[in-house]
Amino acid sequence: MSFRKVHIAIILLAAVVFLLILHHNILGLTDILTRQSSDSAPLVFQRLEALRDAHESPPEERQGEEIAVVIPGVEERLGGLVAAINSISSNTKSNVVFYIITTNDTKGHIRSWLDGTGLKRVTYKLLAFDTRVLDGKVRVDAGAEPVKPMTFARFYLPSLLPETKKAIYLDDDVIVQDDIRDLYNTPLRPGHAAAFSDDCDSVTSKFPVRGAANQYNYIGFLDYKKERIRSLGMRANTCSFNPGVFVANLTEWRRQNVTRQLEKWMELDVAEELYSKTLSASITAPPLLIVFYQRHSNLDPLWHVRHLGSSSGKRYSPQFVKAAKLLHWNGHFKPWGRTSSYPEVWEKWFIPDPMGQFAPIRRHGEADGTK
């Protein structure tokens, strides 16, 4: 009987040891899966502070499904943000919600400007972008212009708008002259996460951009001397696209983990310098060009008439500018600056800053009460 008890005790002890080992292994597997899930996610939500300071217009003023329009709000360029919002809201009766990506220091100025003027009718939400997500992902060359972290916020749209399925992204130097719903309804082909405007379209390619060699092709953005770029099999003469205006299918963006793909190429550029040495456009373009190579839909060219900021001269006729649905002053000559093309078109939508911190700069004799 004593021997039997000892035998049972040994069996029970072995069972306890087996269960402890099994429990330990399960915990280890869970930890591995958790880390793998975190690594594959486009962005850890805790890394972005979504303030969601919101202002909503009366429900009776909004019609139909929400049209999400994302625009960056940078302190020294807030006049551009305000003019863009005013032009969009004045040309539509749709249920537009503006998602303004900004910093904690700037949100008070934005709120004062929008709530204290005729724009109090618009619905907007303020989202704070934590620039720490860019650590180790952006290369800064000696003598180059300072990096503008907010320009990379467009890479993180699914994390900034976690409940949104589709959105329009706009730079702050645009004016919209038609119903934004038409842009929102741009058809995207199956499997495409975004629609851009190709630089070889019939509208823009007729006019050279000053100081931008090969500005319409991939070779103008990527260093084809690097084996990693050549191994991708992308043709150097492929038409590039401008990332300042696009429509995004965020459901597809999440499914394809586009954000992580973009981050991968940013990190590789830091390590291997993959971008073109003659890059004259935004450094946000190269990773987008790689990730969306032959995998993006196209915008109607009239919904992205660009390069108005490439010189102070007038590259388009007044009739064409009037017919354009969206004007983009990409380049150095902004419509709120001392010299630019068609500043009167932009000024039509500009609303003076009630705090007096921003005013367009005009040459002597052109000012009309503003600086």
Side-chain angles (χ1 to χ4, degrees), residues 191-341:
H192 286 183
F196 299 92
S197 186
D198 282 346
D199 286 326
C200 297
D201 65 39
S202 60
V203 173
T204 59
S205 60
K206 294 179 181 179
F207 304 91
V209 178
R210 189 176 72 178
N214 301 306
Q215 68 268 23
Y216 299 133
N217 301 319
Y218 268 48
I219 197 171
F221 295 85
L222 300 168
D223 187 352
Y224 275 79
K225 295 179 181 179
K226 299 297 176 66
E227 174 59 26
R228 188 177 293 276
I229 295 298
R230 294 198 306 272
S231 67
L232 294 174
M234 302 184 303
R235 296 181 60 180
N237 63 350
T238 301
C239 292
S240 55
F241 55 78
N242 184 288
V245 175
F246 63 88
V247 178
N249 178 340
L250 297 184
T251 300
E252 190 66 28
W253 192 299
R254 295 183 185 97
R255 190 188 71 80
Q256 297 182 24
N257 211 349
V258 170
T259 296
R260 183 56 202 143
Q261 293 185 56
L262 295 170
E263 288 185 323
K264 167 192 169 182
W265 287 104
M266 293 166 67
E267 292 164 355
L268 286 172
D269 175 65
V270 171
E272 303 177 23
E273 299 187 14
L274 301 178
Y275 301 167
S276 171
K277 299 297 187 297
T278 61
L279 183 63
S280 61
S282 170
I283 60 174
T284 59
L288 287 164
L289 292 174
I290 295 173
V291 173
F292 286 101
Y293 178 72
Q294 296 185 346
R295 297 188 65 185
H296 70 275
S297 299
N298 296 318
L299 299 179
D300 178 341
L302 288 178
W303 268 110
H304 194 182
V305 175
R306 51 208 178 277
H307 302 310
L308 274 76
S310 62
S311 71
S312 58
K314 295 184 177 181
R315 60 187 292 117
Y316 305 122
S317 70
Q319 294 78 13
F320 179 73
V321 169
K322 184 177 181 180
K325 298 181 179 182
L326 184 148
L327 300 169
H328 188 187
W329 279 265
N330 59 307
H332 295 291
F333 299 91
K334 300 304 180 186
W336 54 82
R338 189 175 301 278
T339 57
S340 66
S341 62

